[in-house]
């Protein structure tokens, strides 16, 4: 049986699927990832991206943080691709219990997915650090230098998890619950190099761990089904 045929059969036989995804899911929508040849880590800036996207850099160089953030992290014209749409369809069919994503672009929700656990937050939620008022991504994109609250003048911070910051405890707890009770876990578009997120798949207890990625990952040897290829193309084969 071809690998993709096995994937289709497993999906048909499963009723509590969980999808765990990373940047590779959104690169097919034109959003750059971090670690590929064309990724952000291989582009030249005055500071490395992991430095710019750290809590300490945000606190000490907020204006420079926002210059990079607007240019590279706010891809508001991006549209959901085949992978996002197929996952939303599987949820609609009652097969997919949850999408757990390391992405902050909101494309899963834009495709129609309802139960999305955003491990690293979202660019679409921004809040005033003084009064707590919420702002959308366009407000931040259209602002100059450091975005400030139109109500109190306080500094606005994106609701994204920066380096040196911890993951939201409830999101983490919910992710562990969904993964540990899933009858099928599909992991796609992630290098599984970012912790603690990557460690979550260790909670899976079933026999249908599917790993779909263009490049190798540290977990390839643990997969029950390993498919190297485009996450969108592979998922679109599921009827």
């Amino acid at each position: 049986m071809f690998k993709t045929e096995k994937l289709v059969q497993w999906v048909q036989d499963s009723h509590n699927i969980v999808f765990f995804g990373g940047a590779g899911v959104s690169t097919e929508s034109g959003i750059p990832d971090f670690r590929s040849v064309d990724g952000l880590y291989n582009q030249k800036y005055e500071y490395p991206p992991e430095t710019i996207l750290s809590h300490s850099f945000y606190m000490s160089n907020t204006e420079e943080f926002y210059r990079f953030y607007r240019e590279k992290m706010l891809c508001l014209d991006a549209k959901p691709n085949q992978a996002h749409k197929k996952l939303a369809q599987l949820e609609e069919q009652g097969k997919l219990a949850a999408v757990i994503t390391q992405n902050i672009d909101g494309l899963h929700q834009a495709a129609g997915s309802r139960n999305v656990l955003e491990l690293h937050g979202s660019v679409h939620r921004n809040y005033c650090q003084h009064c707590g008022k919420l702002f959308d991504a366009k407000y931040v994109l259209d602002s100059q230098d450091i975005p400030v609250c139109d109500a109190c003048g306080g500094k606005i911070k994106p609701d994204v998890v920066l380096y040196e910051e911890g993951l939201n405890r409830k999101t983490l707890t919910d992710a562990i619950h969904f993964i540990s009770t899933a009858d099928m876990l599909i992991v796609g578009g992630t290098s599984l190099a970012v912790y603690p997120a990557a460690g979550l798949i260790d909670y899976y207890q079933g026999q249908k761990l599917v790993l779909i990625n263009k490049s190798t990952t540290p977990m390839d040897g643990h997969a029950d089904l390993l498919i190297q290829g485009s996450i969108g193309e592979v998922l679109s084969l599921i009827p």
Side-chain angles (χ1 to χ4, degrees):
M1 183 183 290
F2 290 115
K3 289 184 175 184
T4 52
E5 290 176 350
K6 181 178 282 190
L7 172 67
V8 170
Q9 185 64 55
W10 283 4
V11 169
Q12 290 175 345
D13 295 342
S14 302
H15 302 282
N16 187 16
I17 303 169
V18 170
F19 178 81
F20 178 93
V25 177
S26 292
T27 53
E28 294 172 34
S29 293
I31 296 179
D33 65 358
F34 279 73
R35 290 175 172 79
S36 69
V37 174
D38 300 318
L40 295 179
Y41 282 170
N42 292 307
Q43 299 179 25
K44 301 302 178 189
Y45 293 93
E46 190 173 344
Y47 304 92
E50 65 266 37
T51 298
I52 299 174
L53 296 174
S54 68
H55 177 81
S56 54
F57 190 91
Y58 169 80
M59 296 299 290
S60 61
N61 297 274
T62 313
E63 192 170 325
E64 179 67 15
F65 167 89
Y66 269 111
R67 190 176 72 82
F68 177 89
Y69 183 79
R70 285 190 190 92
E71 186 179 327
K72 294 298 179 183
M73 309 303 287
L74 291 182
C75 306
L76 303 187
D77 293 331
K79 298 289 189 289
N81 60 50
Q82 292 172 300
H84 299 109
K85 293 173 183 176
K86 178 57 65 174
L87 292 167
Q89 179 188 324
L90 289 172
E91 183 185 33
E92 184 69 28
Q93 293 171 350
K95 285 190 164 294
L96 187 83
V99 168
I100 302 169
T101 181
Q102 299 174 78
N103 299 335
I104 58 176
D105 49 50
L107 290 180
H108 284 293
Q109 291 93 329
S113 289
R114 293 182 296 275
N115 192 22
V116 182
L117 282 65
E118 296 172 311
L119 294 173
H120 296 149
S122 172
V123 299
H124 297 286
R125 295 188 301 271
N126 305 272
Y127 62 94
C128 172
Q129 291 185 277
H130 181 69
C131 75
K133 183 176 179 180
L134 298 177
F135 296 88
D136 62 16
K138 191 172 187 306
Y139 184 90
V140 173
L141 183 64
D142 293 343
S143 63
Q144 299 295 316
D145 303 322
I146 300 171
V148 294
C149 177
D150 58 7
C152 75
K155 187 164 69 172
I156 293 173
K157 183 179 186 295
D159 186 16
V160 299
V161 179
L162 302 176
Y163 289 98
E164 304 166 351
E165 295 179 344
L167 302 189
N168 178 276
R169 188 164 293 279
K170 184 183 186 308
T171 305
L172 206 52
T173 301
D174 289 348
I176 291 170
H177 164 73
F178 280 109
I179 290 174
S180 62
T181 56
D183 62 3
M184 180 177 183
L185 177 62
I186 303 175
V187 180
T190 173
S191 62
L192 294 173
V194 178
Y195 283 81
L200 288 174
I201 65 173
D202 292 337
Y203 288 94
Y204 179 61
Q205 300 172 35
Q207 303 298 315
K208 290 187 282 189
L209 172 58
V210 181
L211 197 49
I212 307 168
N213 201 45
K214 287 183 177 179
S215 57
T216 58
T217 80
M219 291 296 292
D220 285 1
H222 297 271
D224 298 304
L225 179 61
L226 178 65
I227 302 175
Q228 288 196 317
S230 156
I231 181 73
E233 289 176 9
V234 172
L235 290 187
S236 66
L237 298 173
I238 300 170

